[in-house]
Amino acid sequence: MSKDIPLYRVRQIGLQFAVVNRANERVSPFFRRKDDAEDICQKRIEKVGTGLRHCLSCRAEFQSDGVHHRMCSHCRSRGAASVTPVSVVLNSGAQI
């Protein structure tokens, strides 16, 4: 995701307001007042554990977007590229 897009922001949806993440997914209840949504948005931003972390795969230090971001971009891209479909062979020899 682009670093230009904030982790969380307030978005008006119809006549109400909600907090959405970078993927534009709603992560809060709806609020009638924009101020209430902005308070929740600010609390979410403060709660996110951004900062330097060590990659779970290669142990290299990298800038993390939050608690969900535990692998460096190199290891994440390498992991995605190495995923291939695998057939599961049962004892009977049948393939699923």
Side-chain angles (χ1 to χ4, degrees):
M1 295 276 169
S2 172
K3 296 290 182 193
D4 298 338
I5 301 171
L7 287 175
Y8 299 105
R9 61 189 171 85
V10 174
R11 179 174 164 218
Q12 185 170 356
I13 302 171
L15 299 175
Q16 299 177 339
F17 300 91
V19 179
V20 295
N21 62 15
R22 282 185 176 164
N24 214 26
E25 300 165 331
R26 185 172 57 89
V27 295
S28 77
F30 288 105
F31 298 94
R32 291 184 181 175
R33 295 176 355 128
K34 186 175 183 179
D35 291 345
D36 293 337
E38 287 174 347
D39 289 344
I40 296 300
C41 183
Q42 187 60 39
K43 287 178 183 174
R44 284 187 82 83
I45 290 169
E46 291 170 2
K47 186 178 178 182
V48 172
T50 60
L52 293 177
R53 294 193 193 281
H54 291 281
C55 175
L56 290 178
S57 182
C58 70
R59 301 302 298 157
E61 196 170 65
F62 71 100
Q63 182 65 37
S64 171
D65 285 342
V67 296
H68 63 283
H69 193 193
R70 299 292 188 172
M71 291 174 67
C72 68
S73 57
H74 173 73
C75 289
R76 290 176 79 179
S77 65
R78 187 181 67 200
S82 68
V83 174
T84 57
V86 177
S87 296
V88 177
V89 179
L90 301 175
N91 289 338
S92 66
Q95 292 186 351
I96 296 177

